[in-house]
Amino acid sequence: MKMAGAAICGVACLLAATHDFLPDDEMPFGNGIRGVFGDDAEEYKAVQPGPLPSVWDDSAREYRFGRYRRPPLDASLHPTTALQRYMQQKEWHWTAVAAGPLLIGVATTQFGYASHALLYIHDTATGLTDHVQLEVLLAGRAFGASFTHSSDPARPSTPMEGCSSWTFGGTVRQCAQDGAVVVEGDAVLRGGTALRVNLTLDAAGDDSLSFVYPIGAARPAVVSKMGGVAAAGTVEVDGERRAVAGVGLMDWTRSLAARFTKWYWTSVAFIDTASGARIGLHLSAGVYEDHNGNGVENCVFVNGVLHTLDAPVRFTPGHPGGAGAGWRVAAEDAAAGVAVDFEFTPAGSMHGVFHLFVLDGDLHHMWGAVSGTVTVAGRVYPMRGVPGVLEDHYALW
């Protein structure tokens, strides 16, 4: 055990010591947009139709920074070193489906030195809440999650072309092709629940909010989000299978991440009972912001149509540090006619913590019930106990 601890410490110290000497210097969030676009961030924030042919323009030797309604056709980063891929490059793919009172969530992450998979279920009607987290440490890129293109395994995946897969100790797969995302999960969860899911998100024709964000001039975050996507499939709990239909959410990211990263993030999807509209939202604070603190990934989708919310989002915990504490989330973009104001009450969570001397992290991914309102163009969409997620994240990685 002592030798293993010393080895882990040695690797952690080496990685942290070399991190700041890698190329592609980072800048505080917001200053990257200013460095590329000047003091006026509106040029960056204007949402272009897309899709980008590639996020990296090899002939110009620069990234195509900006926001787009369609995911990029090629999300490959510029040529990087093995150490950058092991230390700086971070990838994750999260998909969830809300079907009435039921919420199913899956995620795969690839951090190089660590990799994870997450599968969970939450049922607000029955109170069932269970999850499993699978992980590989130190050799994550070799034995953990893979992010591969469907037509060429040697190429990395894109948000809508390829698979994010995990098969170690359980199965988690998110495969996108021809406008659809197929989600598969099969594992025994921590509470003993045997869960098997097969769900399809039909994203053909729906907008995304996809962007290439400048952490540094040659240090991007490539992000694609979708919300309120029509979804259907089967969920099997302890051998009992049922058909479900609802709405889905997706958050896909590949980045050369900042050394210190902290964020609050929430995502909710539901079907409005009065109009039948498909609603989805993604909101965050602390990451991917302009120099005025306005987040560039905040958005609401109504029937697949994107509405950006370019304003600071306030995340207020009811009892900071208290287990099971509720949160209030609020933001308003008066110019765009988009506002949110709701309470999130957690029912379960995955809490991942690591402290390896100069590497440090604390991720609290919670799921629970959301009540409040979403307003778009004067139309108010109420939420009464709909399932949603909220994340409180800190990392020195």
Side-chain angles (χ1 to χ4, degrees):
M1 291 294 291
K2 290 182 178 179
M3 291 181 64
I8 292 172
C9 175
V11 171
C13 292
L14 174 63
L15 292 174
T18 58
H19 195 297
D20 291 337
F21 293 95
L22 295 175
D24 308 331
D25 291 340
E26 64 187 68
M27 291 179 277
F29 281 119
N31 287 350
I33 294 178
R34 174 179 281 174
V36 175
F37 293 92
D39 287 338
D40 186 2
E42 296 308 310
E43 181 184 353
Y44 173 86
K45 293 194 293 183
V47 182
Q48 306 298 322
L52 282 174
S54 62
V55 301
W56 169 249
D57 186 338
D58 196 52
S59 61
R61 307 297 295 171
E62 63 183 17
Y63 279 96
R64 295 182 167 105
F65 294 116
R67 301 200 296 180
Y68 307 87
R69 289 182 182 271
R70 294 290 182 267
L73 301 180
D74 185 345
S76 304
L77 305 183
H78 69 281
T80 54
T81 67
L83 189 55
Q84 282 176 299
R85 292 190 294 275
Y86 187 79
M87 185 57 194
Q88 287 180 330
Q89 184 169 317
K90 307 292 189 294
E91 298 171 286
W92 57 84
H93 189 181
W94 172 82
T95 306
V97 171
L102 189 67
L103 178 69
I104 300 292
V106 303
T108 47
T109 73
Q110 179 54 265
F111 299 156
Y113 51 82
S115 185
H116 308 84
L118 177 65
L119 174 63
Y120 57 89
I121 182 172
H122 174 56
D123 191 332
T124 59
T126 65
L128 171 64
T129 292
D130 205 352
H131 79 283
V132 65
Q133 181 189 2
L134 308 167
E135 63 182 359
V136 172
L137 300 177
L138 298 183
R141 198 160 293 282
F143 301 106
S146 62
F147 287 70
T148 57
H149 200 276
S150 55
S151 62
D152 182 359
R155 294 172 55 197
S157 61
T158 75
M160 292 303 294
E161 188 73 33
C163 292
S164 308
S165 303
W166 179 284
T167 57
F168 184 72
T171 299
V172 174
R173 286 171 55 85
Q174 301 166 82
C175 293
Q177 192 170 16
D178 299 329
V181 181
V182 178
V183 176
E184 298 173 297
D186 188 357
V188 177
L189 310 187
R190 292 181 61 181
T193 305
L195 178 63
R196 179 176 294 173
V197 301
N198 190 308
L199 303 164
T200 299
L201 283 66
D202 183 5
D206 280 19
D207 286 342
S208 75
L209 178 55
S210 298
F211 59 89
V212 187
Y213 178 91
I215 297 172
R219 194 159 176 176
V222 183
V223 179
S224 189
K225 295 177 180 286
M226 303 189 80
V229 180
T234 60
V235 175
E236 183 177 316
V237 179
D238 293 332
E240 183 178 339
R241 178 180 296 185
R242 55 173 157 163
V244 298
V247 283
L249 299 153
M250 189 182 81
D251 184 342
W252 186 101
T253 297
R254 175 177 293 132
S255 73
L256 295 177
R259 171 82 165 108
F260 172 74
T261 305
K262 179 176 174 60
W263 67 64
Y264 299 112
W265 167 78
T266 187
S267 193
V268 185
F270 63 98
I271 297 176
D272 179 55
T273 54
S275 65
R278 297 179 285 112
I279 311 297
L281 63 86
H282 295 269
L283 305 169
S284 71
V287 69
Y288 309 141
E289 297 176 340
D290 67 15
H291 56 276
N292 294 316
N294 299 316
V296 303
E297 70 173 354
N298 299 325
C299 56
V300 177
F301 298 89
V302 180
N303 287 328
V305 177
L306 168 68
H307 302 268
T308 58
L309 196 164
D310 295 328
V313 181
R314 300 180 300 279
F315 287 78
T316 307
H319 305 283
W327 294 68
R328 184 184 179 193
V329 180
E332 181 178 9
D333 183 344
V338 181
V340 296
D341 191 347
F342 60 84
E343 298 280 343
F344 170 82
T345 303
S349 69
M350 185 283 295
H351 197 183
V353 180
F354 66 88
H355 303 293
L356 293 173
F357 296 91
V358 288
L359 293 180
D360 202 26
D362 191 330
L363 169 63
H364 200 184
H365 182 93
M366 298 166 272
W367 48 88
V370 174
S371 295
T373 58
V374 178
T375 303
V376 178
R379 179 69 182 262
V380 178
Y381 300 98
M383 299 178 287
R384 300 182 181 90
V386 302
V389 301
L390 189 146
E391 201 167 81
D392 182 357
H393 171 267
Y394 152 86
L396 190 65
W397 49 11

